[in-house]
RNA sequence: UCCCGGGUAGCUCAGUCGGUAGAGCAGGUGACUGUUAAUCACCCUGUCGGGGGUUCGAAUCCCUCCCCGGGAGCCA
């Protein structure tokens, strides 16, 4: 029986002179006088395998000459050194079996470059292209690297709920999950009565697994989550999705400085992993997507991330002499243009800004000794902006309670969260990293819709 | 959601002053060739985003809606 190979391993091992079998999709066919060239791709790597089909093959006239982009085939034959430039080995076909045809009159993918906007409309076919196939492999490799990084360091993987009833970050941005009859909603005091709903109260898709991760952090020490997250914000940009994947480590006995150190190490680990395991794919991005990609990734690995406090950032912005559209003032959140200036011009590389004013940050962030700031940090990277947001959590019961009241939140909703501070509370910290933004950063892909297989954005949830 | 810029052949786009449309690529046919974004010749392809209006006449001007891109806000 002929041994079957994935093209990646065939090109790696190069068993010249051996009979082999490959299965894949035709990328292109070129005919010569007495034979044809087929380029076969099976998704195992970016590269195609060149197949030589002699005109004497049984089904040459009837089938081989009809093969076009997208057809699926099995090829058995002899691997040989290639006499021509462009490839070191090629497969001399002894047998071609056509699994499925792809009518060239209607098959949308052509032997030419397509715009990403067009490919988005055919999300069921776009992974068959070089660039989207490469993105898919990089995404898979980075997913694996995420787990490896944390597992190597003794973190436990925690599955936090997708459906949640804790609306800790503001209700307006959440998707409601309901089993109620939408054409006949039960009403109570002028509003929908969620008491009659499946969970007995209003439930939503999670916007963050952090609060639940804290529970397991304060039992297992070091944990991380890696799962889908949902935001019903009507934001239409190249770096927002309604459904995206987020990684949220949470560490006990850990302060903000350690939190920042882990985040920096994590990002560097992922970049290094991609460079070492997806070199071919990254090379494609460097050639066709973002010329500066290699230099940018090198810069991430070769230098320490700059760290400045929010207050220092404000000073730098004020001293820049720039005329920003939004005024710079202590107490106001940094705008995109401010972050851009700091990250892309002033520091020209990843930058960590920390110790933000308490007024612009959520209740759970730890209040610093100055009483004015909280132990929060954002990591900004060139081209994308915020890729990580994290903080040391408020572990002091009285301070946390005061913060809840200060922000007008309903204490009853947070009793379990307060319990974590009533019983055996410890300093702890964590952060959230947007997985798609990381892939954008590592691949150079400009639009976040290209780095997730099936993007969900306002008005778009096809496939 | 707001501000800009777009939507014309399967794809990427051109289309002047308002006179009902073109190119390249793809596809088809043939020629040539260890080719590799193959090359050469010929051929085919249109609800000009939808709707309404102005006009003798609209891809072109006006209104409106939808979609896409860039930027902003929100954030990861």
């Amino acid at each position: 029986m002929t041994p079957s190979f994935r093209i990646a391993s065939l090109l790696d091992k190069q068993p010249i002179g051996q009979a082999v079998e490959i299965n894949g999709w035709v990328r292109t066919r070129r005919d010569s006088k007495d034979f044809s060239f087929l380029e076969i791709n099976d998704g195992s790597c970016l590269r195609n395998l060149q197949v030589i089909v002699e005109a004497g093959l049984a089904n040459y006239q009837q089938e081989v000459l009809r093969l076009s982009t997208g057809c699926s085939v099995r090829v058995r034959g002899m691997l040989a050194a290639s006499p021509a430039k462009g490839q070191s080995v090629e497969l001399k076909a002894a047998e071609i079996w056509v699994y499925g045809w792809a009518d060239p009159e209607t098959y949308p993918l052509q032997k030419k470059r397509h715009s990403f906007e067009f490919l988005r409309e055919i999300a069921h076919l776009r992974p068959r292209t070089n660039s989207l196939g490469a993105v898919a492999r990089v995404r898979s490799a980075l997913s694996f690297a995420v787990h490896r990084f944390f597992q190597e360091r003794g973190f436990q993987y925690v599955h936090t709920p997708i459906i949640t009833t804790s609306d800790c970050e503001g209700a307006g941005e959440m998707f409601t999950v309901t089993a109620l009859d939408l054409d006949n909603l039960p009403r109570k005091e002028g509003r929908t009565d969620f008491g009659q709903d499946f969970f007995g109260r209003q439930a939503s898709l999670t916007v963050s697994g952090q609060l639940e991760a804290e529970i397991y952090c304060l039992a297992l020490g070091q944990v991380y989550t890696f799962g889908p997250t949902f935001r019903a914000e009507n934001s239409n940009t190249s770096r927002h999705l309604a459904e995206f994947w987020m990684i949220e480590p949470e560490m006990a006995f850990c302060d903000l400085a350690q939190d920042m150190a882990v985040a920096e190490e994590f990002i560097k680990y992922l970049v290094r992993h991609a460079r070492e395991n997806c070199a071919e794919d990254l090379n494609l991005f460097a050639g066709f997507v973002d010329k500066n990609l290699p230099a940018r990734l090198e810069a991430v690995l070769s230098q320490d991330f700059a760290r400045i406090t929010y207050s220092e950032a404000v000073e730098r912005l004020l001293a820049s002499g720039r005329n920003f559209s939004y005024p710079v003032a202590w107490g106001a959140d940094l705008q995109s243009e401010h972050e851009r200036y700091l990250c892309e011009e002033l520091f020209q590389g990843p930058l960590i800004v920390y110790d933000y004013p308490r007024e612009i940050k959520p209740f759970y962030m730890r209040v610093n000794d100055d009483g004015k700031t909280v132990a929060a940090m954002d990591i900004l990277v060139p081209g994308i902006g915020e890729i990580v947001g994290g903080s040391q959590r408020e572990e002091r019961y009285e301070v946390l309670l005061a913060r809840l009241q200060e922000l007008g939140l309903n204490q009853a909703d947070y009793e379990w969260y307060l319990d974590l501070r009533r019983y055996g509370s410890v300093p702890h910290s964590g952060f959230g990293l947007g997985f798609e933004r990381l892939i954008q950063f590592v691949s150079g892909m400009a639009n976040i819709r290209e780095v997730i297989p099936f993007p969900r954005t306002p008005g778009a949830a096809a496939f």
Side-chain angles (χ1 to χ4, degrees), chain A residues 139-173:
Chain A
R139 184 177 174 113
S140 172
L142 287 173
S143 298
F144 175 67
V146 165
H147 288 292
R148 213 176 78 167
F149 176 85
F150 289 114
Q151 297 287 334
E152 282 174 359
R153 285 159 181 76
F155 284 64
Q156 307 291 330
Y157 180 30
V158 176
H159 293 125
T160 49
I162 306 292
I163 298 173
T164 174
T165 54
S166 59
D167 58 341
C168 55
E169 310 222 20
E173 61 188 6

Side-chain angles (χ1 to χ4, degrees), chain A residues 52-62 64 76 93-96:
Chain A
I52 310 295
V53 193
E54 302 280 351
L57 212 69
N59 59 345
Y60 185 78
Q61 291 293 332
Q62 286 297 311
V64 174
R76 288 173 176 160
E95 178 196 318
I96 304 264

Side-chain angles (χ1 to χ4, degrees), chain A residues 120 123 126 132 135-136 139 228-229 240-245 435-436 439-440 445 447-457:
Chain A
R120 219 176 283 153
R126 67 177 184 166
L132 275 291
V135 167
R139 184 177 174 113
T229 308
H240 285 87
L241 291 166
E243 175 182 299
F244 63 99
W245 287 62
F435 190 51
E436 283 76 18
I439 300 170
Q440 279 189 275
M445 296 299 293
N447 197 307
I448 200 167
R449 287 156 206 196
E450 265 68 74
V451 299
I452 188 168
F454 307 102
R456 272 81 180 94
T457 51

Side-chain angles (χ1 to χ4, degrees), chain A residues 116-135:
Chain A
F116 289 125
E117 290 83 4
F118 170 68
L119 292 175
R120 219 176 283 153
E121 296 169 12
I122 49 169
H124 57 306
L125 298 171
R126 67 177 184 166
R128 299 184 186 191
T129 64
N130 285 338
S131 50
L132 275 291
V135 167

Side-chain angles (χ1 to χ4, degrees), chain A residues 47-310:
Chain A
R47 282 175 294 168
N48 303 324
L49 180 68
Q50 176 162 287
V51 173
I52 310 295
V53 193
E54 302 280 351
L57 212 69
N59 59 345
Y60 185 78
Q61 291 293 332
Q62 286 297 311
E63 297 197 313
V64 174
L65 287 181
R66 282 174 53 218
L67 287 173
S68 55
T69 307
C71 295
S72 48
V73 294
R74 182 187 70 209
V75 183
R76 288 173 176 160
M78 181 80 77
L79 195 73
S82 178
K85 286 178 184 167
Q87 60 284 316
S88 56
V89 294
E90 59 191 25
L91 181 57
K92 292 200 176 300
E95 178 196 318
I96 304 264
W97 170 258
V98 181
Y99 289 108
W101 297 94
D103 181 0
E105 296 273 11
T106 57
Y107 187 59
L109 292 175
Q110 304 169 358
K111 294 192 301 190
K112 56 170 277 191
R113 202 179 179 288
H114 289 290
S115 68
F116 289 125
E117 290 83 4
F118 170 68
L119 292 175
R120 219 176 283 153
E121 296 169 12
I122 49 169
H124 57 306
L125 298 171
R126 67 177 184 166
R128 299 184 186 191
T129 64
N130 285 338
S131 50
L132 275 291
V135 167
R137 283 185 295 271
V138 169
R139 184 177 174 113
S140 172
L142 287 173
S143 298
F144 175 67
V146 165
H147 288 292
R148 213 176 78 167
F149 176 85
F150 289 114
Q151 297 287 334
E152 282 174 359
R153 285 159 181 76
F155 284 64
Q156 307 291 330
Y157 180 30
V158 176
H159 293 125
T160 49
I162 306 292
I163 298 173
T164 174
T165 54
S166 59
D167 58 341
C168 55
E169 310 222 20
E173 61 188 6
M174 304 178 84
F175 289 101
T176 293
V177 175
T178 182
L180 292 174
D181 178 2
L182 295 180
D183 294 321
N184 186 23
L185 289 172
R187 310 284 291 179
K188 186 179 180 184
E189 294 165 5
R191 308 186 63 178
T192 300
D193 181 14
F194 284 102
Q196 295 185 43
D197 202 353
F198 188 89
F199 297 107
R201 55 187 293 191
Q202 185 166 8
S204 311
L205 294 177
T206 182
V207 295
S208 165
Q210 180 203 317
L211 300 191
E212 289 92 348
E214 284 187 52
I215 295 173
Y216 274 76
C217 166
L218 295 175
L220 302 179
Q222 294 180 316
V223 302
Y224 68 104
T225 73
F226 183 9
T229 308
F230 308 87
R231 304 272 167 94
E233 290 153 354
N234 187 15
S235 49
N236 214 300
T237 79
S238 59
R239 51 192 180 280
H240 285 87
L241 291 166
E243 175 182 299
F244 63 99
W245 287 62
M246 188 155 63
I247 296 133
E248 296 179 289
E250 195 69 33
M251 297 160 283
F253 317 107
C254 176
D255 63 17
L256 187 71
Q258 293 169 303
D259 195 36
M260 292 190 283
V262 171
E264 176 174 353
E265 191 188 351
F266 183 45
I267 291 171
K268 285 178 170 172
Y269 183 95
L270 295 175
V271 169
R272 202 176 301 119
H273 184 92
R275 284 216 312 190
E276 288 169 2
N277 295 276
C278 308
E280 251 177 52
D281 292 323
L282 293 195
N283 205 36
L284 174 84
F285 299 137
F288 294 98
V289 173
D290 181 1
K291 304 281 184 216
N292 296 321
L293 184 64
R296 216 179 54 226
L297 296 184
E298 179 58 33
V300 168
L301 294 181
S302 64
Q303 50 190 286
D304 295 334
F305 291 8
R307 285 164 168 74
I308 58 170
T309 63
Y310 166 89

